Amino acid sequence: MNTAAGNGKKVGVALGGGYARGLAHIGVLEVLEREGVPIDIIAGTSIGALIGALYALQKDAGKLREEAMLLDFMGTTALVDLAFPKSGLMPGKRITNLLRRFIGNVNFKELNIPLSCVATDIISGDEVVLDSGSVLEAVRASFSIPIIFTVVKSGGRYLVDGGLVNPVPVSVARNMGADFIIAVDVTPDKKDRANYLTTRAEAGKEPTLFQVIAQSIYISTYLTAKASTEGADIAIHPHVAHIGPSEFNRVRECILEGELSAVDQVAHLKRHLASAGIRLLK
């Protein structure tokens, strides 16, 4: 497991939700890994939980990029199994099978980096932090987009996407013991979201159901996400507003935007790490 150069201070990464746009997390992790930034703790919401789980398991961003390219090949249809069950349009069998293909059946205690996944109790509205038991089940719950996917029952609770309550889980990383937190927020601001949908409308394309739901969540959680990132020591904001939340076939673009945004912050990040007394791994 990574340690912050033996000085006892731990570096945490908070990976936010954002559906396909969250694939930019991979590019950020590649840069952090390349620059020798220690990653001792990971907290993830929604797609951030998925990317976080894969990195916590493998500690290899390059391999994570290779696996993500499968989504580029398969496209969004790999996630879709349309039905009309009680609590969502899609039962989620395909996405569960896809997650199993990537994650396997590992337990949290088998991960190489401590991980927490954030979900929402759809009954009470409470934040639920998942950090034990099946990693696959935790990621599936954190990724369960309301209305699109059916809810996940866990521990007597009915869970959906953690982005409803904690879109960028800086607070969770802090509670896990992180002394220095790097937040990655892929939530587009109001202007960029409007520009994306306006461009679609000008092209004669009506927003899809997925886009309407995603936009509804963005509108309701934008201020929360912004406030969360302000609690981080460093916040990275990949420029991914031009990529639709359901466009999982644009993996390369998402990863590149994450990489570029992280590179822009490298010098700033290293200064802050040095000020905090945290040495790089190389």
Side-chain angles (χ1 to χ4, degrees):
M1 185 183 300
N2 286 330
T3 58
N7 60 11
K9 292 186 177 181
K10 295 182 179 180
V11 177
V13 175
L15 304 178
Y19 315 115
R21 290 165 174 153
L23 293 167
H25 294 319
I26 298 172
V28 174
L29 290 171
E30 283 187 313
V31 173
L32 297 182
E33 187 177 286
R34 185 167 66 237
E35 297 294 331
V37 177
I39 299 177
D40 305 292
I41 286 169
I42 300 175
T45 292
S46 195
I47 185 70
L50 170 57
I51 302 301
L54 291 171
Y55 192 76
L57 178 63
Q58 302 167 352
K59 292 173 59 176
D60 186 339
K63 185 175 181 181
L64 186 49
R65 173 192 282 262
E66 292 175 4
E67 292 176 338
M69 290 304 173
L70 292 174
L71 289 176
D72 208 349
F73 172 74
M74 293 183 292
T76 309
T77 55
L79 309 177
V80 175
D81 48 348
L82 190 62
F84 293 94
K86 293 181 179 179
S87 60
L89 296 176
M90 303 177 195
K93 291 181 181 179
R94 285 192 182 181
I95 191 171
T96 299
N97 290 336
L98 186 64
L99 293 176
R100 183 173 289 109
R101 179 176 180 177
F102 290 143
I103 299 172
N105 295 310
V106 299
N107 192 287
F108 274 87
K109 63 183 180 183
E110 299 176 77
L111 297 174
N112 291 302
I113 302 173
L115 168 75
S116 289
C117 301
V118 179
T120 303
D121 183 328
I122 196 60
I123 304 300
S124 66
D126 292 336
E127 174 185 295
V128 178
V129 177
L130 303 168
D131 57 8
S132 63
S134 168
V135 175
L136 186 151
E137 290 183 9
V139 171
R140 169 69 176 86
S142 183
F143 196 78
S144 187
I145 305 163
I147 302 176
I148 296 293
F149 294 119
T150 52
V151 301
V152 174
K153 187 175 182 180
S154 176
R157 294 175 180 258
Y158 293 96
L159 305 180
V160 297
D161 196 311
L164 294 176
V165 290
N166 199 343
V168 187
V170 172
S171 59
V172 175
R174 189 77 68 188
N175 290 337
M176 292 172 70
D179 301 289
F180 187 99
I181 298 176
I182 303 166
V184 187
D185 179 16
V186 296
T187 305
D189 63 23
K190 180 179 179 180
K191 180 179 179 181
D192 287 338
R193 291 196 310 270
N195 286 342
Y196 169 75
L197 290 177
T198 298
T199 300
R200 281 188 59 87
E202 290 173 348
K205 297 179 180 179
E206 182 178 346
T208 65
L209 174 63
F210 193 109
Q211 289 163 345
V212 170
I213 293 172
Q215 180 77 344
S216 299
I217 294 174
Y218 286 147
I219 290 170
S220 63
T221 63
Y222 173 68
L223 292 179
T224 303
K226 185 176 180 181
S228 295
T229 58
E230 289 175 354
D233 296 277
I234 293 289
I236 298 174
H237 301 274
H239 301 294
V240 289
H242 62 288
I243 297 171
S246 63
E247 293 181 318
F248 284 91
N249 60 322
R250 299 176 69 178
V251 176
R252 289 176 177 82
E253 294 173 73
C254 287
I255 294 176
L256 177 60
E257 292 295 348
E259 185 176 5
L260 292 173
S261 63
V263 167
D264 285 343
Q265 290 273 27
V266 163
H268 183 55
L269 171 58
K270 287 183 176 180
R271 286 195 299 270
H272 277 258
L273 287 170
S275 296
I278 299 172
R279 295 189 296 274
L280 300 178
L281 296 175
K282 62 179 182 179

